[in-house]
Amino acid sequence: MKPSLFDLTNKVAIITGSARGIGKAIAQGLASVGAKVVIADMKAAASEKTAQMIQASGGEAIAIPTDVRNRRDCEHLIEQTIAHHHRLDIMVCNAGVDIIKSATFLEESEWDNIINVNLKGYFHCAQLAARQMIAQGTGGSIIMNSSIGGVVGISGSAAYTASKGGVNLLVRSLASEWADHQIRVNAFAPGYIDNIMEGTEEFRRSPAEDQQHLNAVIPMKRRGKPEELIGPVVFLASEAAAYVTGAVLMVDGGYSAI
């Protein structure tokens, strides 16, 4: 195997929702293998801090505040990326929200917000990225953050699971449509990760309760770490996955295997 198979030197990568958590880990991971990363997040100050952290580690990063629910924000994200780097090679659609609430009492506004971030926002970014990649004639990789919630039902997360199921089929549809342009579209699907998603902070179990639950549902009997998602994303972004498109890669400690 060539040492350069996973090398992303000089590739330009946008990661949405990357000021903290999973997105931040992915941005750091892509930068560590040579990518020039764009931190795209609603939280401007935190985005800049993450970009500076990557720069301090020897990587190349800029921050562009972005609300993926807003089409114009997504257009601005692509425009500013091209103005700075003159190309786009990798788009990681990662921004996500959830709310733990019975479907019986879920408000329309809550449903709309989750779908607008987790599904509509992904389409905005994927479509605009693909248009740029097609114009460049260079192909590219579009990677979406799905979830175990895209393949199994999770009580109290009706809108979230609907959005992630939509992501999985969006990946397959776009992969089929854009293959002629050498644009690969894939997803990684995390299981239980040691990461608190926006909107779920107050519902975290106690450590003892959490471990008991994990022992019952995950063969590896632990939560994953955000940095354990770096490898799957680097793989999907790199030449190592040159013939991989339309795939949903489960990264769940065996949860979906049982």
Side-chain angles (χ1 to χ4, degrees):
M1 183 173 66
K2 297 179 181 179
S4 61
L5 200 58
F6 298 93
D7 183 19
L8 297 177
T9 298
N10 294 324
K11 298 292 186 181
V12 177
I14 294 173
I15 308 94
T16 67
S18 49
R20 67 181 185 95
I22 289 172
K24 179 179 178 180
I26 290 170
Q28 291 173 310
L30 291 174
S32 75
V33 291
K36 302 174 181 179
V37 301
V38 178
I39 309 301
D41 198 289
M42 289 177 63
K43 299 176 175 63
S47 297
E48 190 58 46
K49 184 176 180 180
T50 295
Q52 291 172 356
M53 184 180 300
I54 291 170
Q55 293 163 4
S57 299
E60 188 168 343
I62 59 172
I64 302 175
T66 306
D67 181 348
V68 298
R69 297 171 298 184
N70 185 311
R71 174 77 176 189
R72 181 61 197 131
D73 263 27
C74 298
E75 292 170 342
H76 179 261
L77 171 62
I78 302 296
E79 291 165 359
Q80 290 301 302
T81 298
I82 300 308
H84 191 89
H85 290 300
H86 311 294
R87 62 182 293 117
L88 175 61
D89 303 288
I90 302 158
M91 167 63 78
V92 182
C93 301
N94 169 76
V97 295
D98 190 13
I99 181 171
I100 309 301
K101 189 174 184 179
S102 168
T104 309
F105 303 106
L106 193 67
E107 300 288 343
E108 181 179 6
S109 60
E110 294 168 332
W111 170 277
D112 287 347
N113 187 53
I114 292 169
I115 297 298
N116 286 342
V117 174
N118 297 1
L119 185 56
K120 186 177 180 180
Y122 279 31
F123 178 72
H124 284 327
C125 291
Q127 181 191 53
L128 294 168
R131 287 179 180 177
Q132 176 60 36
M133 293 170 181
I134 291 168
Q136 291 171 187
T138 57
S141 176
I142 296 172
I143 304 165
M144 299 188 182
N145 185 346
S146 182
S147 168
I148 55 172
V151 295
V152 299
I154 299 176
S155 178
S157 290
Y160 180 78
T161 56
S163 72
K164 295 303 184 177
V167 164
N168 290 350
L169 285 176
L170 182 62
V171 160
R172 295 182 174 100
S173 295
L174 299 182
S176 176
E177 183 169 340
W178 293 336
D180 283 350
H181 299 287
Q182 302 305 306
I183 297 171
R184 297 181 297 104
V185 187
N186 294 289
F188 63 101
Y192 287 86
I193 303 296
D194 193 15
N195 173 70
I196 301 176
M197 184 179 299
E198 187 166 330
T200 65
E201 295 89 343
E202 63 183 291
F203 298 98
R204 194 69 181 258
R205 298 181 180 90
S206 71
E209 291 173 330
D210 189 54
Q211 190 58 55
Q212 184 178 19
H213 176 70
L214 300 180
N215 288 343
V217 300
I218 301 176
M220 292 185 73
K221 302 187 187 310
R222 67 173 178 86
R223 286 180 176 270
K225 302 171 184 177
E227 54 267 30
E228 290 179 306
L229 296 168
I230 294 171
V233 174
V234 169
F235 165 68
L236 293 174
S238 72
E239 285 302 306
Y243 200 53
V244 178
T245 195
V248 179
L249 175 59
M250 306 305 295
V251 190
D252 62 2
Y255 179 95
S256 58
I258 59 175

